[in-house]
Amino acid sequence: MTADHAAAAKATDAPKLLVVDHDMLERSAIAGYLRECGYQVVEAVSADEAITLLRQRAAEFDIAFVAVDVPGDMDGFALAHWIREHAPGVRVLLAATVEKAVKLASNLCENGPHLRKPYEPQSLLDWIKRLRSSPSG
Amino acid sequence: MASGCESMEVPASEVARSVCSILIVDDAIGTRAPLGEMLRQRGYRVFEAADADQALALLNSRQEIHALITDVQMPGSMDGIALARWVRKTRPMLRVLVVSGLDVAAQLAGEGIACFRKPLTSEALLAALPCTTVDTR
């Protein structure tokens, strides 16, 4: 996969985001929304995963989009501190709630590669709530 | 390379080609993230889970998934073999691919699960997916 990965990394100049969130449904919905806005998005489920990626590929990333309540030895605040110290070129956005995460994602979209939102942030919030509450069986 | 337990029970023509959704389950971000990026570059919609519990959260939501690609050795309530079997039992139309450094072909023989040994090529993996997309590279 190495050659493919290198080719993929060069395939676009769109800003690259690292979304760090342990919540599967929230993370995938936010990351998907940001991709629809034109960003490249890489997902990490913990601070440990984020640090592993940033140690190898920090120069690729423009923004780290971090949920405050990531599990493990390091929460979102501690990860933000680590990033500012070890990857100062990466801007950190911290989200304490899903509502805050949606608002931050919406703001990123308005200023992102496509300069528009794919849909209203309330629709994204509603979709995350539906994912959580409506099992398909 | 696909092993003897590969199944071709889901014709590609039966899966919508417009949005082909793949769920990758792997606790190693160094494997999961590049694989996700490679598949997204090829037009797939990719969801990433770090363990079976996260995968189940997505599979039990309203999110449509066409194929599962899972590692075998993972922390959490079940490993990749158990997850693959659960998905085959409860989601029979969903293509299941197990990717492992171990030879699990004999263990999964006759269960309708495609088995791959690491390292594997992108071409071998893509050929086993149940749907194709427009290459966006």
Side-chain angles (χ1 to χ4, degrees):
Chain A
M1 300 290 172
T2 304
D4 290 319
H5 180 213
K10 294 176 183 174
T12 173
D13 291 328
K16 183 172 274 191
L17 274 60
L18 174 59
V19 173
V20 189
D21 190 337
H22 186 73
D23 186 315
M24 175 80 209
L25 302 179
E26 179 179 318
R27 184 187 68 250
S28 60
I30 296 276
Y33 180 81
L34 290 166
R35 288 186 187 104
E36 289 192 53
C37 299
Y39 290 100
Q40 301 178 79
V41 181
V42 177
E43 300 175 42
V45 305
S46 65
D48 285 345
E49 282 198 352
I51 288 171
T52 298
L53 268 183
L54 290 170
R55 282 199 165 122
Q56 298 168 351
R57 304 165 50 185
E60 290 180 27
F61 292 97
D62 300 284
I63 297 171
F65 191 111
V66 179
V68 167
D69 60 345
V70 289
D73 295 335
M74 190 180 280
D75 65 9
F77 291 114
L79 176 61
H81 182 78
W82 186 94
I83 293 172
R84 287 177 186 127
E85 186 172 339
H86 295 91
V90 180
R91 179 182 161 207
V92 180
L93 298 175
L94 270 170
T97 64
V98 63
E99 289 81 7
K100 177 70 172 173
V102 166
K103 185 171 183 357
L104 286 173
S106 174
N107 291 342
L108 280 172
C109 280
E110 288 180 335
N111 299 295
H114 293 171
L115 295 174
R116 60 176 169 74
K117 293 175 279 193
Y119 39 85
E120 287 303 310
Q122 185 60 47
S123 298
L124 173 59
L125 192 57
D126 291 344
W127 174 238
I128 292 170
K129 290 176 179 174
R130 285 185 69 202
L131 286 173
R132 284 177 171 161
S133 64
S134 303
S136 62
Chain B
M1 178 180 293
S3 303
C5 59
E6 182 174 11
S7 166
M8 301 301 289
E9 293 177 7
V10 186
S13 59
E14 292 188 10
V15 180
R17 288 169 179 264
S18 55
V19 180
C20 185
S21 297
I22 313 293
L23 171 58
I24 301 171
V25 191
D26 196 319
D27 62 320
I29 192 166
T31 303
R32 191 183 73 235
L35 177 58
E37 289 174 279
M38 183 276 286
L39 290 172
R40 289 188 190 101
Q41 286 292 327
R42 284 163 170 77
Y44 292 93
R45 186 174 192 190
V46 179
F47 297 87
E48 299 180 35
D51 55 39
D53 297 307
Q54 291 196 351
L56 293 178
L58 189 75
L59 290 164
N60 285 323
S61 76
R62 285 180 175 272
Q63 190 63 63
E64 186 178 28
I65 302 293
H66 297 117
L68 168 77
I69 302 173
T70 183
D71 186 24
V72 169
Q73 294 179 303
M74 298 183 294
S77 63
M78 63 174 87
D79 65 9
I81 298 286
L83 175 64
R85 286 174 169 155
W86 183 88
V87 171
R88 281 298 295 165
K89 183 177 178 182
T90 61
R91 309 285 192 278
M93 292 302 291
L94 196 150
R95 178 72 61 87
V96 180
L97 292 76
V98 172
V99 181
S100 176
L102 307 171
D103 185 359
V104 296
Q107 194 177 349
L108 291 170
E111 297 193 37
I113 295 169
C115 303
F116 293 88
R117 287 289 296 274
K118 294 178 181 176
L120 77 161
T121 65
S122 302
E123 289 70 24
L125 189 66
L126 292 168
L129 292 176
C131 38
T132 57
T133 66
V134 176
D135 194 327
T136 59
R137 286 176 297 172

